[in-house]
Amino acid sequence: MVNLKHELTVDDLIVEYMICKVINGYEPQFSTYEFMNFLYFFTSKMPVKDILYDSQKLFQRFFERKSASDWSRIIDWKTHEKEITPHMNIIYNGEVDNYIIKANYRLSDYDKSIINTYFMDNGMSKFDNFKGTAAKIRSIICEYLAKQPKRKIDENTNIDDTFLIVGKYITAEIIRNIWNNYINNQIKNHKWPEQCRDIDKYLFEIDLAEIIGLKSIKKELLDFYEVISRRIAILYQQDKNLKISNCSGGYLARANYELLISGYQEIFGIAFGKYKNSLNIDLESSTFKESYELEGLYMWDEDPIVKTTTYQIGNDKTKKLVRTLDKNI
């Protein structure tokens, strides 16, 4: 909860610590044991208000406070009935005999905007004495986290075929977007015949690029297909509600995107780079969404028209492309 003096509280620090882990590519979770070690480290460098050194009581209080206000909304004003939607989850892990706090897909910019650190660097007047304090807090967190390994996908994981086929469907849709953007760019540069857009016909039946003297991207896309489909399958096998997004507002979905594209940033960038298409994959609802601003608009337009296309994962068109990709590997 925000205090009038905007002093750092341990509740603020829990949120900041989780956000820092998620957006910087660390595991999107921590044990109460890990956090208490971090807390001792942090308080040796900077004071924190409202501390409890009993980890169970500390996190019980944290979740109760968040559930009472920041993570709830009134759904019936007459009865004051609330709906609670946590942005983190706490579960007991018997293997480590400890409680684990995990980020979920609701953790976002909103969580950063309702804690004291937000106001430290966004003071209401030029006499704000807290300018730069939030940056110092985050630098201490980063200093502590520098010792931890970054999150990785174990690509040797055994994958169930059920998850692998979903990974293939999604990757095929991504490849279709990459191909379309690549060809549109070639057409704009007068290097590609405008009528030759079909990926099946002009990449796989014949590789038109080789015929007209351009660099072929066929091998690159097939390698991309093999690696990315496995990565998605592994992530999905680990998280049945998997979300992946190149939008920055939802921290965990964005972190999944950054993890997914590692080593393939350039080819992803053809379709989903800066100022290009947005990508949103939601395996809870089995949807693939891509959005882009319509051409002919100017950068000073206040409300650019954005077209969003939603595909059901595993539609007939996608299945056909998957069969083609599998045949060409």
Side-chain angles (χ1 to χ4, degrees), residues 173-188:
E173 287 289 0
I174 292 171
I175 285 173
R176 193 188 306 281
N177 274 267
I178 291 169
W179 170 259
N180 288 340
N181 277 48
Y182 175 77
I183 294 305
N184 285 341
N185 190 55
Q186 296 287 48
I187 290 169
K188 281 182 182 179

Side-chain angles (χ1 to χ4, degrees), residues 238-251:
Q238 294 169 347
D239 177 4
K240 307 307 182 291
N241 297 318
L242 180 67
K243 292 178 175 57
I244 299 169
S245 175
N246 65 345
C247 302
S248 59
Y251 295 145

Side-chain angles (χ1 to χ4, degrees), residues 151-153 231 235 254-262:
R151 183 182 174 205
K152 291 182 179 179
I153 297 174
R231 287 183 181 180
L235 290 174
R254 174 70 189 203
N256 289 339
Y257 175 79
E258 295 294 342
L259 185 65
L260 176 67
I261 72 172
S262 178

Side-chain angles (χ1 to χ4, degrees), residues 212-230:
I212 62 177
L214 292 178
K215 177 181 175 293
S216 171
I217 62 169
K218 182 176 179 179
K219 185 177 182 302
E220 191 176 0
L221 287 178
L222 289 172
D223 171 67
F224 176 92
Y225 173 69
E226 284 196 277
V227 174
I228 300 303
S229 59
R230 282 188 61 82

